[in-house]
Amino acid sequence: MKKMSKEKQKKGLVKDMLFLGIILAIAIILLLIFPEKKELVISSSKGFFMEMILILPAVMILMGLFAVFVPNDVIVKYLGRSSGIKGIFLAILMGAFPTGPLYVAFPIAAALLKKGARISNIIAFLSAWACIKIPQELVELQFLGLKFMITRLLLTILFVIVMGIVIEQIVLLSEKTTKHEQTS
Amino acid sequence: MNVTTVFINALAAVCLVFALIKDTTKTKQALKIAIISFFRIFPTVLAIIIIIGLLSGFVPESQISKIVGENAGFRGVLTVAFLGAILHIPSLISFPLAASLLEKGASITSVAVFITTLTMIGMVTLPLEIRILGKKLALLRNGLSFIIAIIIGLIIGVIL
């Protein structure tokens, strides 16, 4: 399994390099045709590059630390048995700490489902994993400012909770009517 | 260097020191992961930064604000919501892109909707999500995320 993901990573890297190559080629061609735009394009790119490069190593270190110090089985252990308001906030917190793409969280969510965790908590966990990551919020802070970041964060937490409850109700309701249909 | 840059680096430094005190081997492992992920994401960062440069050089502000600006209305919001749902850009990189769009006349609502659908919805990973979590949960989560992303964006547009 580990080997497979490594191979996948390699393939992804090749794809990304290809993407970069194509974009670079387009940029060079465009700038050769319209040399008067060169200054604007380069100064704009340079500004964003500087902003990014000053925080990217720090963000990566934070992500690495989370990945190692908050392993997945800890999440399953804590979330499998918590409930109520505390459960939902714990789910969001647990989703916000570790890092990695969303698809890493699916198996964790499946394990939680099997353990009998509430659906609302699992949805909150998945959503938090997707969009309330702490390193992510830091980059958002850098580029979009404190007000934007805090407002979006609070609204997201609120609506993720609502969404979890709504989905749970829908699932429970449909389970009542058609008792059979469950996923394998 | 602005305050945010200093804050983020200080936070990482403090966490790193605590981690080192707690467990050196684990911290080394974490740093290894950090270095690998840095190089893994770097090509995409460069590509997006070049795209931002090209956007500011070749796409006039009037064009951007026509598509995703204040006057684009709900159709503009729907457009970015769809774009965010379909595109598969690492969220870390979506923020500079969003900031550049904002600078060029995109509305706050569309930027917030874009970031939210981009992070919450994964069309590319949807088949996997269906396989692991079941059709019902996966479709409900992605569908409702689309709706709440738009609601969140609209509220942010009103507040800010």
Side-chain angles (χ1 to χ4, degrees):
Chain A
M1 182 134 176
K2 213 167 184 183
K3 207 179 159 196
M4 232 172 82
S5 74
K6 227 179 193 172
E7 245 164 48
K8 219 174 172 182
Q9 230 183 9
K10 226 177 187 175
K11 232 166 127 187
L13 188 61
V14 170
K15 235 161 87 190
D16 289 353
M17 292 300 266
L18 210 65
F19 180 59
L20 175 61
I22 292 169
I23 297 293
L24 201 59
I26 292 173
I28 289 170
I29 291 168
L30 276 175
L31 290 181
L32 282 177
I33 302 173
F34 305 97
E36 73 276 10
K37 303 268 192 193
K38 210 161 149 186
E39 211 170 302
L40 187 58
V41 170
I42 289 177
S43 79
S44 168
S45 281
K46 207 177 137 196
F48 276 96
F49 180 76
M50 288 313 287
E51 262 187 80
M52 200 70 190
I53 206 68
L54 284 175
I55 57 165
L56 204 54
V59 169
M60 290 302 158
I61 286 174
L62 283 172
M63 287 171 69
L65 287 174
F66 284 137
V68 172
F69 283 91
V70 191
N72 295 348
D73 44 339
V74 173
I75 299 169
V76 176
K77 200 176 111 197
Y78 278 100
L79 276 189
R81 55 171 186 220
S82 57
S83 60
I85 292 186
K86 207 179 122 201
I88 245 179
F89 278 104
L90 196 63
I92 291 177
L93 204 65
M94 287 282 178
F97 271 110
T99 46
L102 186 57
Y103 59 76
V104 177
F106 295 150
I108 303 175
L112 286 171
L113 209 57
K114 237 181 230 154
K115 269 201 135 188
R118 285 186 61 167
I119 291 173
S120 56
N121 290 4
I122 293 170
I123 294 292
F125 167 74
L126 274 179
S127 309
W129 186 296
C131 70
I132 318 183
K133 284 271 166 280
I134 291 164
Q136 246 179 52
E137 297 298 326
L138 292 175
V139 182
E140 183 166 357
L141 177 67
Q142 167 92 338
F143 285 99
L144 295 166
L146 186 64
K147 227 159 85 184
F148 184 94
M149 184 272 253
I150 293 279
T151 316
R152 204 179 72 86
L153 177 64
L154 291 179
L155 285 171
T156 308
I157 291 175
L158 176 72
F159 279 101
V160 155
I161 294 173
V162 173
M163 178 168 78
I165 294 169
V166 169
I167 291 181
E168 185 174 271
Q169 290 307 316
I170 294 175
V171 170
L172 290 181
L173 215 80
S174 70
E175 258 168 21
K176 245 186 222 163
T177 44
T178 51
K179 235 181 173 178
H180 219 63
E181 212 183 45
Q182 244 315 333
T183 49
S184 53
Chain B
M1 268 247 216
N2 59 16
V3 182
T4 315
T5 314
V6 175
F7 169 70
I8 294 171
N9 282 287
L11 182 68
V14 169
C15 289
L16 196 59
V17 169
F18 269 109
L20 271 172
I21 292 169
K22 207 163 173 250
D23 193 329
T24 321
T25 15
K26 267 190 173 177
T27 308
K28 269 186 197 156
Q29 207 185 329
L31 285 178
K32 218 170 119 192
I33 293 176
I35 292 169
I36 291 171
S37 355
F38 180 83
F39 285 107
R40 180 67 190 78
I41 204 170
F42 202 67
T44 319
V45 170
L46 278 185
I48 295 285
I49 279 168
I50 295 171
I51 290 175
I52 290 174
L54 291 178
L55 268 179
S56 59
F58 290 95
V59 185
E61 279 177 32
S62 58
Q63 199 64 37
I64 288 180
S65 67
K66 209 168 97 194
I67 302 169
V68 290
E70 299 285 358
N71 300 323
F74 196 63
R75 214 161 116 201
V77 173
L78 272 184
T79 312
V80 281
F82 259 111
L83 273 180
I86 295 168
L87 288 177
H88 199 59
I89 311 173
S91 46
L92 283 180
I93 306 165
S94 73
F95 297 116
L97 185 63
S100 80
L101 288 175
L102 205 55
E103 257 171 37
K104 305 260 315 177
S107 68
I108 287 191
T109 298
S110 49
V111 166
V113 168
F114 178 68
I115 294 172
T116 312
T117 53
L118 189 69
T119 45
M120 294 244 281
I121 302 171
M123 287 294 187
V124 182
T125 50
L126 187 60
L128 185 72
E129 188 173 353
I130 289 176
R131 212 169 63 218
I132 297 179
L133 291 177
K135 212 181 205 166
K136 204 190 291 166
L137 267 190
L139 291 181
L140 275 174
R141 194 191 72 77
N142 282 283
L144 282 179
S145 293
F146 191 81
I147 296 169
I148 69 164
I150 291 175
I151 298 174
I152 290 172
L154 290 175
I155 297 177
I156 288 182
V158 172
I159 297 177
L160 298 184

